[in-house]
Every structure is written in structure tokens, then in C-alpha cells.
Amino acid sequence: PFPIPCLLFPSPSSPSSLPGLGTSSILGGTILAALWKAAGEDHSRDSLIHAILHLEQLLTTGGGWQDQCGGLYGGPKISHTKKGLPVLISTKQIQTPPGFVGDLSSHLLLVYTGTTRLARNLLQDVVRNWHSRDRRVIKNMQDLVDNAHAAEEAFTRGDMAAIGTSLTKYQRQKLVMAPGSMPKIVSLFIDKISQYIYGCCFAGAGGGGFLVGILKEPSGKKRVKELINSSAELNYFAVYDAAVDLLGIQYSAS
């Protein structure tokens, strides 16, 4: 426990909002890690992942654990948890061919879609659909696991096309869990850029915000920018530079 209040100040370079990138979980983990570090408490990344679960329940944001695993561990990875309580999450780094991660970064497409939806509201729909024991939803849960392993194998082979296919499949699977969560304008946008990408998916759980895709060629990013700039209906869309983070959460004190 801290005997005095703690004040947190974002740096001038920090964006005011990053909807749809799982940043509530990542920011929560960053704050917890900083507080533990300031208090002289040792912790592992695994303990940090589990602490975020508790934090998000206190905040009623209803978060899962995929965002903090993806954001706080560097490089490609796959995470698992077994059925039952307590939730015990394990994360394994995926070994990729030499130079593949750098090539993947040059093929990444990150687009802000200008539409945001609160993840908590969609997650409540997901839980209700699961409790309804709808056969399609139950089958989809196993399909999600199978697709994650297919993506792992694609990373191991260095197969960008297969990674893109898994991304698109994942987006469709999320729509099974939360029907109607894809904004129409985003669906139209995906149709327009399909010739430039192997596949794409929303980055977060909120059915909006940022869309991440795998370009067939790095030059495809320029084509997507031109498409956005020439379409009045896409005036809120924007392409951002992105790269695979190999380090995960890092600490510094000043």
C-alpha cells in the first residue's frame, strides 16, 4: 500500500486515445508495473498479466487476457489457459525464420477506421451468447482455438499469406460471437482494399477503432492511402506506420 496518493502524468508524446488497440489492458499493465517498480516489488510478466485481469474486473471493463499478453510480451507469441478457476495463463514465444519479423513489419497495414465501440458492451453480448449454449457459438469457440494454432504454424513457416488468412478468419469468428459488430463502412472499406491484402482483422474487441492487415506488397500501403484520400466517405480513416515490437514492456526511471 502507498501512504500518499500517486499522480500519473502522460508524456507529451502520448496519444490521447487509441481505441480498438487493446490499450486499456496495456495501459493498466504499464501503470501496475510502474507502481510495483516504485515500491521495490519484484514481479514477473506472468504475474502482471494476471494482475491486469483483476484490475479490469475492478474497473468493470470486462477485459480478457489476450490484449495484455499481446502487448506486454514482445514478438510473435501464443497464449493458453485451461478450463476452470483460477485462470492460469501461459505465454510461449513463436520461433520464426530468420529475418521474417522484419519482413512482416514492412507488410503490416494499420488503419484507424474512425468508428469506436466500447469493448465492454460487445463482451457482454459475447457472454450472453455463450450462456445461451447456441451450437454455432459453441463450435466457434473450438474454431477460434484451431485458428490460433493455424496462425502459430503460419508464423513458424514464415507464411504471410496464411497469417492473413487466419486474420480474416478470426474477424469472421468474432462476428459469430457478436453479430452486427462490424460497422458497414468498415465492411465496405475491406472490400475495397482486398486486392492489396492477404487478410485483416480489428485489433481490439470493440468492433471498431484500428484495423490491422497483412499487405501482399509493402507498396500496397501507398495504394490504401490513395484510396482513403480519394473517398469522401472515408474521411475519418487514416493509415498509421506500424512494426512488430520485439521487446515488450520496458522500464526506465528518471
Side-chain angles (χ1 to χ4, degrees):
F2 288 85
I4 58 174
C6 293
L7 300 178
L8 302 172
F9 298 95
S11 71
S13 61
S14 298
S16 59
S17 176
L18 286 173
L21 276 178
T23 42
S24 63
S25 304
I26 298 170
L27 178 60
T30 303
I31 292 172
L32 286 174
L35 292 174
W36 277 341
K37 202 74 173 177
E41 296 287 341
D42 291 329
H43 65 275
S44 65
R45 292 193 189 186
D46 280 343
S47 65
L48 186 57
I49 297 297
H50 289 83
I52 297 167
L53 281 176
H54 183 61
L55 172 65
E56 292 208 314
Q57 295 309 308
L58 294 175
L59 295 174
T60 70
T61 52
W65 45 263
Q66 68 284 347
D67 292 332
Q68 54 262 43
C69 289
L72 301 181
Y73 282 92
K77 81 285 296 181
I78 187 166
S79 299
H80 302 268
T81 184
K82 295 181 179 179
K83 291 189 295 185
L85 296 174
V87 175
L88 297 174
I89 305 157
S90 61
T91 301
K92 181 185 75 173
Q93 302 294 142
I94 300 174
Q95 298 301 314
T96 59
F100 175 72
V101 173
D103 290 340
L104 180 62
S105 290
S106 68
H107 285 257
L108 279 181
L109 176 69
L110 184 65
V111 180
Y112 179 61
T113 66
T115 55
T116 60
R117 298 190 179 191
L118 189 60
R120 177 180 61 195
N121 297 338
L122 286 182
L123 291 171
Q124 289 172 350
D125 290 340
V126 169
V127 171
R128 280 193 290 266
N129 291 337
W130 169 253
H131 282 305
S132 73
R133 310 308 291 170
D134 183 282
R135 289 184 179 180
R136 188 172 178 229
V137 170
I138 293 172
K139 179 181 182 301
N140 193 57
M141 293 295 287
Q142 183 57 52
D143 291 343
L144 282 162
V145 175
D146 294 341
N147 189 34
H149 287 297
E152 177 186 14
E153 293 173 2
F155 271 101
T156 302
R157 298 193 308 270
D159 189 338
M160 288 193 199
I163 294 171
T165 298
S166 285
L167 275 179
T168 295
K169 189 172 184 179
Y170 180 44
Q171 181 60 52
R172 292 170 181 164
Q173 289 167 336
K174 290 202 288 186
L175 291 176
V176 172
M177 302 304 295
S181 60
M182 170 76 80
K184 289 183 179 179
I185 186 63
V186 178
S187 182
L188 291 172
F189 173 70
I190 292 173
D191 288 342
K192 289 183 176 182
I193 67 170
S194 60
Q195 59 185 310
Y196 305 121
I197 61 174
Y198 289 123
C200 64
C201 180
F202 275 128
F210 280 87
L211 190 77
V212 62
I214 307 297
L215 293 161
K216 294 178 180 178
E217 298 292 339
S219 59
K221 182 187 293 186
K222 181 181 178 182
R223 303 284 181 254
V224 174
K225 287 181 178 179
E226 291 171 348
L227 172 66
I228 291 173
N229 293 335
S230 63
S231 302
E233 61 186 354
L234 303 176
N235 61 324
Y236 289 109
F237 284 53
V239 176
Y240 284 76
D241 291 332
V244 178
D245 173 26
L246 296 176
L247 300 177
I249 187 170
Q250 300 292 300
Y251 309 94
S252 64
S254 58

